[in-house]
Structure formats: C-alpha cells, structure tokens
Amino acid sequence: MATCWQGLWAYRFYLIVVFLPIFLLPLPIIVRTKEAYCAYAIILMALLWCTEALPLAVTALFPIILFPLMGIMDASEVCIEYFKDTNILFIGGLMVAVAVEHWNLHKRIALRVLLVIGVRPALLLLGFMLVTAFLSMWISNTATTAMMLPIGHAVLEQLQGSQKDVEQGNDNPTFELQEASPQKEVTKLDNGQALSASSEPRTQKTGEHLRFSQGLSLCICYSASIGGIATLTGTTPNLVLQGQVNSLFPQNGNVVNFASWFGFAFPTMIILLLLAWIWLQVLFLGFNFRKNFGFGEGEEERKQAAFQIIKTQHKLLGTMSFAEKIVTVLFIVLVVLWFTREPGFFPGWGDTLFANENGQSMASDGTVAIFISLIMFIIPSKIPGLTQNPKKPGKLKAPPAILTWKTVNDKMPWNIVILLGGGFALAKGSEKSGLSEWLGDKLTPLQHIPPAATAIILCLLIATFTECTSNVATTTLFLPILASMAQAICLHPLYVMLPCTLAASLAFMLPVATPPNAIVFSFGGLKVSDMARAGFLLNIIGVLAITLSINSWSIPIFHLDTFPSWAHSNISQCLLNPPNSTVPGL
C-alpha cells in the first residue's frame, strides 16, 4: 500500500493534468453558455497555476486553444493579447536591468551606500534594507537578493570574528567576501580532547549572532519584495495591473503610468520599509536600542572590522569603467523620460511633442524603455578604438556593445512575458464572454459595505492567497473580478485594484511564497517558523500601510473619490444608485 501511495505521489502532476479537465467538464456540458465556457477555462487555469502541475507559462497558453474552440474569441484576437504594450515595457525595462547587472553597477551602488550609512547593528539592517529596496525598484527581486545576501553574511562573519578577537586580544585581519559557513566550530585541546564551544558566555554570543544573521537575511528578502512595489517595472504584478486596466477600460486615458504609480507606491514603500525595519530590529535584536545602535562595549572594534570588509570589496571593483558610466547615464535618462513623458500635473514631452488628436501621448513607457535598450545595443562597451584579437594575432576587432543579445537571452525571463499575455487573454475573454458582467451583477450586494472595509478584506484575502501561489497568477486571476465588482457597485475600479496589486507582493510568511524568500531560506540559518513569525505581523503591517495610502494621497492622484466615466458599464444603474464614496470616514 505504501508503495502504491508513493507511486501516486510521484506521478501526481501527470494525474492532475489528465484528470482535472475531465473533473471540471460538467460545468460547460450542463451550462451551455459562453460565460460557463470561460469560467471553465479560468477555473482550470487557476487550479493548474495553484498546483503548478504544469509550468506557469505553459498554463498561460491555454486561452490560445480553449477560447477559439469554445467560440469565445477568434484565435487572432487571443494572440494579440500576448504581446501588448505592457509586455514591451516589461522587456525594455528588463533589458536595462540586465545591463546594470551585467556591468556590476548594482554592486557598486550597494557597497557605496553601505559605506555611507555605516555598520552599527541597527543601521546595518537599515542600510541593507535601503540598498536592497532601491535596487529592487529597477532590477529583479531575485537578482537583488542573490547579490546582497553573500555581502551581508560576509559582513556578519567579520563582526563575529572581530568580537572573538576582541575577547582574546588578537588582531583581526580583513578577509575577502565569502559565503558564511554553516559548520559548527569545535576547539581541540593540546591533549587531543575535543571541547565544544558551548560555554555559557560563548553560547550567548553565538545565539546573538544567529539572531542577527536571521534578522539580516529576512531584512534582505523582505526589502526586495517591498522595494519592487515602488515602480511600475519593479515587479510583475504592477505591470499586470496596468495591462488589465488598459484592456478592460480602453478609454482610461493612461491613468496608470510610471509617474502616477510612483507617486502612489513610493511613499507606501518607504512607510512599509521603515515599519519592517523597526519590527525586525525588535524581533531579532531586542529592545536594547543603545546596543542596537552600536554604543555597547567593544562595538567600535566590531564596527571598524565590518566597515573594513565593505571598503575592501568596494576597492576591488576599481574605478568606474566606460561601460558603467554609460549605463549610469542611460539609466538616469530613462528614469527622467519616464517621469516627464505624461506626468499629469504639468505638460510632458509625450503629450506636447507626440500627442494624438485627443491630446494624449502616442509614445508609451514601453517606447522609452525600448529606445534606451536599443541605444545600449549600439554604444561600445569601451572607448571606441581598435584592439588586437587574442585568438587571431594580427587581426583587429571592435569592442562588444554594452548590451549583447546573448547576454539578454541568457538573463531574460521569457516565461514571464508569456504569463503576462495569458493573464491579458483571460481578462479579454471574460469581457467578451460576458462573464465579467455576470460576476458584477452577483457582487452588487457589496455596495452596502463601506469601501474602506471592502479594500481591507480584499487585501487580506490576496495577501493570504499569494503566500502559496505566484503573485503574477494571483493578480491575473483576481484583478478582472475586482474590476467587475467595482463597476457593479459604482466604485472607482482602482480603489480595489491598486491595494490588491500591492498586497500580492506581501509574500513574507513562507519560503515558497516568492523567490527571494526561497533564496534566503536555502542559504541556511532559518526555520519556517522563524519566517512565519516575522512575516505574519509584517503582512498585517503591510495591509495597514496600503490602506493608509489608498485612503489618503492616492485619492488626488487617481481621483478615487469619484466614479470615472471610462469605467461605466451600465450608466443608468450608476445614475440611479449614487456611487460609493471612497473618502476616508464616509
């Protein structure tokens, strides 16, 4: 019997893929409507995404097969959804991020900031969180975590080594950056007897170092997830929201762009980051703030030793290369062009120089990202000149470009591009089949619940769901439903879509919730209970911070206190029933 169960478990993904579509077949067979057909496709894809029986990107291709065969959409209409402007923005933004990562510019920024902030325990945590969050705004959360974690643990090893040397009166030589070794140390006496390093003072110091190490590890992975919410390209759920809004509400006037999103999400990120720092500091360093800020006995020696390793690593990078300087300049130009394209509160270059008949910018954020990326493929990585080819002496060759297709192809997550497209196809299919309108009608009783309470409940639901499901899959599934609900109760769609998108990034409790969590957990020194204990309260803090933002400064940015004309699905219904007020306290 045991062997039978083991065999079923080993083949569980094959069994799910074969039997799940059959198990769900009664829905389209009994209810022969387009709404039921679309619901069958969505439920099937949702369950496959949750179980990951197939790769997420493979499941995202299902609409290309199911929608045309079920008579919901033509194949040509479905395929267009897989390469929309949001996908272009994702590709262009990632190309720039690949260039930053390829030329080690992100490491130089990280080490420089740590040198400025210092290495006192509490400030060290804050420094790593600020650097990780800033880098995560522009490059992938996974790459940021993978780079920052070894740096953090090397500094911690130096701190611990310095503490031992201070106790023993020895000098502490600086060593090169390396990963922390999980092996326990056992001291040998002269007579060959082993002595465990478990005396009471040593145990206390080792326990403090372990807690500090756990706190720093969690600071890095949590700040990577938090930092990604600040920019439109920082994490994929943000782009899913923009794509869904543009798909479901074509007349929205580009309400979600880089500038408007930054104005809404950046303050939220700062508040959440500072609250997370305070919580993790209390949880892992305790309430002795004098010691946390480096005013205890022997702290100066430890501070200098840790500072020295960061300084050494920064020196090893050498002076900035020509490629690094060019990437820095192009990166700054990219951000400036994003902010000034169509800012809303003053005329931008997009709606001034390249406006359509409605006065809106014909160039998008994706246009800017691709433009800067193309320049990187053209500019050489060294000062223009001819060099000798080492493989063919006597022949001259030009230096490679700052960005090459091989580098992009190796680091570009093409599966996310397909996953984004699958989400947009689902949203369009829900609209075409009438499923969105049907869901909206069923959700009309929610108009009797205060909008603020609705937003909090939905945020908690999304934050819980995203712990065990991909954040991209979570937003892809929920955002069209939330848009339909908002239309049905005459509530501004962004009032529920914005907070739920941010809540999808609040994956703090489980190692499997997000790649940064998994990287930190695999590095060692953490148990699931440690991550769950720290992440549970951080989820609550995150929901409260998001609630604050959606009921305060986001209202004038997105005009959330009114029901926009571009969201009307049934104008007469909204005229008869006054729209819900989203102003706090009403």
Side-chain angles (χ1 to χ4, degrees):
M1 179 61 73
T3 305
C4 178
W5 283 113
Q6 289 176 0
L8 288 174
W9 181 254
Y11 281 82
R12 64 189 183 281
F13 290 147
Y14 294 100
L15 296 174
I16 290 172
V17 172
V18 172
F19 288 106
L20 186 59
I22 299 173
F23 178 76
L24 296 174
L25 269 179
L27 175 61
I29 291 176
I30 296 174
V31 185
R32 294 181 172 273
T33 61
K34 287 188 177 181
E35 292 93 329
Y37 296 159
C38 188
Y40 172 81
I42 291 176
I43 295 171
L44 175 61
M45 292 176 65
L47 293 175
L48 289 176
W49 271 332
C50 291
T51 59
E52 295 191 35
L54 288 174
L56 298 181
V58 174
T59 302
L61 295 172
F62 275 37
I64 298 177
I65 303 171
L66 296 178
F67 284 178
L69 298 183
M70 291 177 169
I72 297 173
M73 294 172 66
D74 291 337
S76 57
E77 291 181 282
V78 180
C79 293
I80 289 174
E81 300 297 321
Y82 283 81
F83 213 66
K84 302 184 70 173
D85 179 66
T86 303
N87 297 71
I88 295 298
L89 174 58
F90 176 78
I91 294 171
L94 269 185
M95 283 184 181
V96 177
V98 166
V100 170
E101 187 179 341
H102 180 68
W103 293 105
N104 258 349
L105 184 60
H106 59 323
K107 187 174 182 179
R108 185 180 295 277
I109 294 171
L111 293 173
R112 170 56 65 181
V113 173
L114 289 175
L115 284 174
V116 172
I117 291 178
V119 291
R120 300 179 189 273
L123 294 181
L124 187 65
L125 293 183
L126 179 62
F128 271 95
M129 291 185 76
L130 290 175
V131 172
T132 306
F134 173 76
L135 293 176
S136 186
M137 289 166 57
W138 314 104
I139 65 177
S140 81
N141 304 349
T142 306
T144 304
T145 306
M147 182 201 72
M148 294 298 296
L149 198 58
I151 296 175
H153 279 269
V155 172
L156 285 183
E157 285 298 302
Q158 187 73 348
L159 280 172
Q160 187 184 37
S162 173
Q163 183 175 2
K164 293 176 186 175
D165 292 329
V166 168
E167 291 170 358
Q168 298 169 6
N170 298 331
D171 292 331
N172 180 32
T174 304
F175 59 92
E176 303 247 341
L177 181 65
Q178 57 188 357
E179 295 186 1
S181 172
Q183 296 177 349
K184 304 281 185 183
E185 290 190 7
V186 177
T187 308
K188 292 259 187 177
L189 297 180
D190 291 338
N191 58 7
Q193 227 177 347
L195 175 66
S196 175
S198 58
S199 59
E200 188 175 350
R202 185 70 174 274
T203 303
Q204 182 182 357
K205 295 294 184 183
T206 305
E208 289 179 3
H209 178 74
L210 177 61
R211 288 195 299 274
F212 194 10
S213 175
Q214 291 173 337
L216 184 63
S217 296
L218 291 177
C219 278
I220 290 172
C221 70
Y222 289 167
S223 53
S225 297
I226 294 171
I229 70 176
T231 59
L232 194 58
T233 56
T235 186
T236 315
N238 304 351
L239 291 171
V240 172
L241 169 73
Q242 187 200 40
Q244 298 282 22
V245 170
N246 292 338
S247 177
L248 297 170
F249 309 110
Q251 306 302 319
N252 72 83
N254 196 26
V255 64
V256 179
N257 55 44
F258 192 91
S260 64
W261 178 271
F262 190 84
F264 156 64
F266 183 74
T268 310
M269 184 270 285
I270 294 296
I271 292 172
L272 183 51
L273 196 69
L274 292 177
L275 292 175
W277 171 59
I278 294 171
W279 163 238
L280 292 173
Q281 182 188 165
V282 169
L283 184 62
F284 291 100
L285 298 183
F287 288 93
N288 189 347
F289 294 107
R290 179 178 174 82
K291 183 178 179 181
N292 294 349
F293 282 88
F295 297 107
E297 182 181 353
E299 295 296 330
E300 189 63 28
E301 291 82 356
R302 298 172 63 194
K303 183 189 78 170
Q304 290 299 328
F307 183 83
Q308 193 62 34
I309 187 174
I310 297 176
K311 190 174 181 180
T312 301
Q313 288 303 307
H314 188 264
K315 283 183 178 179
L316 289 176
L317 292 176
T319 57
M320 285 188 73
S321 65
F322 176 76
E324 283 182 90
K325 293 176 182 177
I326 294 296
V327 171
T328 303
V329 171
L330 290 177
F331 177 77
I332 294 172
V333 171
L334 171 68
V335 175
V336 171
L337 289 177
W338 268 342
F339 273 111
T340 58
R341 181 183 64 85
E342 200 174 26
F345 51 90
F346 68 87
W349 60 265
D351 47 15
T352 301
L353 301 176
F354 306 100
N356 58 16
E357 60 274 9
N358 298 321
Q360 297 173 349
S361 172
M362 296 185 70
S364 68
D365 291 332
T367 307
V368 176
I370 294 296
F371 172 68
I372 297 297
S373 302
L374 288 178
I375 292 177
M376 289 182 173
F377 280 100
I378 298 171
I379 299 179
S381 57
K382 295 180 181 179
I383 297 176
L386 297 176
T387 58
Q388 293 286 337
N389 189 339
K391 295 182 180 179
K392 297 180 180 179
K395 291 196 173 183
L396 300 176
K397 69 167 188 175
I402 287 176
L403 205 56
T404 63
W405 184 252
K406 184 181 185 305
T407 304
V408 171
N409 196 42
D410 290 341
K411 296 186 177 181
M412 178 69 69
W414 298 110
N415 57 323
I416 302 297
V417 178
I418 298 174
L419 187 57
L420 278 171
F424 301 150
L426 277 184
K428 182 60 71 173
S430 299
E431 180 189 354
K432 290 279 187 178
S433 66
L435 180 62
S436 295
E437 185 178 352
W438 180 84
L439 280 173
D441 292 339
K442 299 301 178 186
L443 293 171
T444 48
L446 289 175
Q447 64 186 334
H448 302 297
I449 301 176
T454 303
I456 291 177
I457 293 170
L458 290 173
C459 281
L460 290 172
L461 173 65
I462 298 294
T464 303
F465 198 78
T466 196
E467 292 290 349
C468 53
T469 310
S470 160
N471 54 9
V472 182
T474 300
T475 47
T476 299
L477 291 171
F478 278 94
L479 288 184
I481 298 174
L482 298 178
S484 301
M485 179 201 75
Q487 284 181 296
I489 62 178
C490 297
L491 181 67
H492 198 301
L494 292 180
Y495 186 78
V496 288
M497 296 176 78
L498 286 172
C500 289
T501 301
L502 295 190
S505 295
L506 303 181
F508 301 134
M509 288 182 61
L510 298 175
V512 297
T514 187
N517 292 13
I519 291 172
V520 164
F521 190 78
S522 65
F523 208 81
L526 278 172
K527 295 183 291 187
V528 176
S529 58
D530 297 324
M531 190 172 284
R533 181 180 50 160
F536 176 75
L537 186 60
L538 198 53
N539 275 351
I540 303 298
I541 293 172
V543 171
L544 294 177
I546 292 169
T547 304
L548 171 65
S549 67
I550 203 67
N551 289 294
S552 52
W553 60 83
S554 63
I555 291 177
I557 294 175
F558 297 105
H559 305 290
L560 299 181
D561 52 343
T562 60
F563 186 72
S565 58
W566 48 261
H568 281 284
S569 61
N570 190 335
I571 298 177
S572 59
Q573 178 185 349
C574 289
L575 292 175
L576 291 173
N577 301 318
N580 271 316
S581 173
T582 58
V583 178
L586 296 181

